[in-house]
Amino acid sequence: MKKPKLIRSAEYDHLGQDRRKLATLQRKGLLVRVRRGIYMDDAEWRTLSGRERYGLRVLTFGQQTEQEPVFCHATAALLWGLWIVGTPQRIHTRTEVTTSGRSSTGVTRHIGSYTESVQRCGPFLVTDKLSTTMQLIDTLAFPYAVAVCDSSLRAPGNSWNRNLFTPPESDPFQHWPAWEPEVPQGLPLTVAQLRAAAASLPSRAAQVRALKVIEFSSALSGSAGESLSRVKMFRLGFPAPVLQETFELRDGKKAKTDFWFKEKRIVGEFDGLGKYLRANWSGGLSLPDRIIAEKRRENQIRAQGVGFARWDWQELMDTETFASILRQAGLRQSGLMTGPWGKSRKMP
């Protein structure tokens, strides 16, 4: 996402023009109101993803506050590339005020310091990676907390960091960040760091719950969908899979699989659309060629006497459908597991 061109009604006043023209253009569908008094060309708005639009809401909110806000929770998580499912509905900021009025329309304020554990990402002040991760582990339902924790442990590999994180006093104009980087950003956290941070949570219950998330998490998980799949497999009593098992194909290439159930010789694959749409996946092939390449890859693995189970987001989120897919592939359940699963909360 390049730096957006925003139109402010205050600038119209400064130029001696009638700001009511902006509202007229909005009604005609030529402009979109990003936030009160701030507009954007509708054609440009339509080219943006949901997370990029969210980023503009965050930007314009920050420009209208008296003190530069520190963004945290799901807002900071997007810039860190942590695996938040979907696009947040609210903007999350820190506040040092402990009285009432912590939340307002579209904004949730969390108690926290304006200076401790804070870094800059372009025009945004955000909580650092460890603080952001722990805040989400402490507040999200278990499966979604695992997804965030998995991503915090994951190294970018051969991919590259798109977002630059610097000290808070750095120049805010030296970098324009991406709101949906393809990989987690910055250095990966360690299990030791997460355990130490969990020990500082305010209650014993929160500490125990966070440690369960941390112990369940894995740096080998490849996406939020894979993380949620793994939690659901365990909860439904399916055997624990090996993550990222590598198969050697007859064409000499190597193929990593999401889940490998060695005893049953079954591969499980989560099919998220991002797998096919990422620019750096499969050498820049077109979408049809990517699908064909994936089918050939699967056939070469099947030829080694391996069964396959595949599912997408919709099938994953329907518990009975997901369980049925695994059972039909030949996996057996040992019974529902109990644990800190909780109910799926709404997107923060």
Side-chain angles (χ1 to χ4, degrees), residues 7 12 17-33 39-42:
I7 304 170
Y12 259 52
Q17 300 186 42
D18 188 351
R19 67 166 61 192
R20 289 176 296 183
K21 291 181 181 179
L22 297 175
T24 300
L25 292 173
Q26 180 193 4
R27 288 193 295 270
K28 291 181 177 180
L30 298 176
L31 293 181
V32 171
R33 192 178 80 162
Y39 299 82
M40 183 177 184
D41 180 75
D42 179 74

Side-chain angles (χ1 to χ4, degrees), residues 319-330:
T319 298
E320 184 50 44
T321 297
F322 179 62
S324 178
I325 289 171
L326 297 182
R327 288 195 299 264
Q328 289 174 13

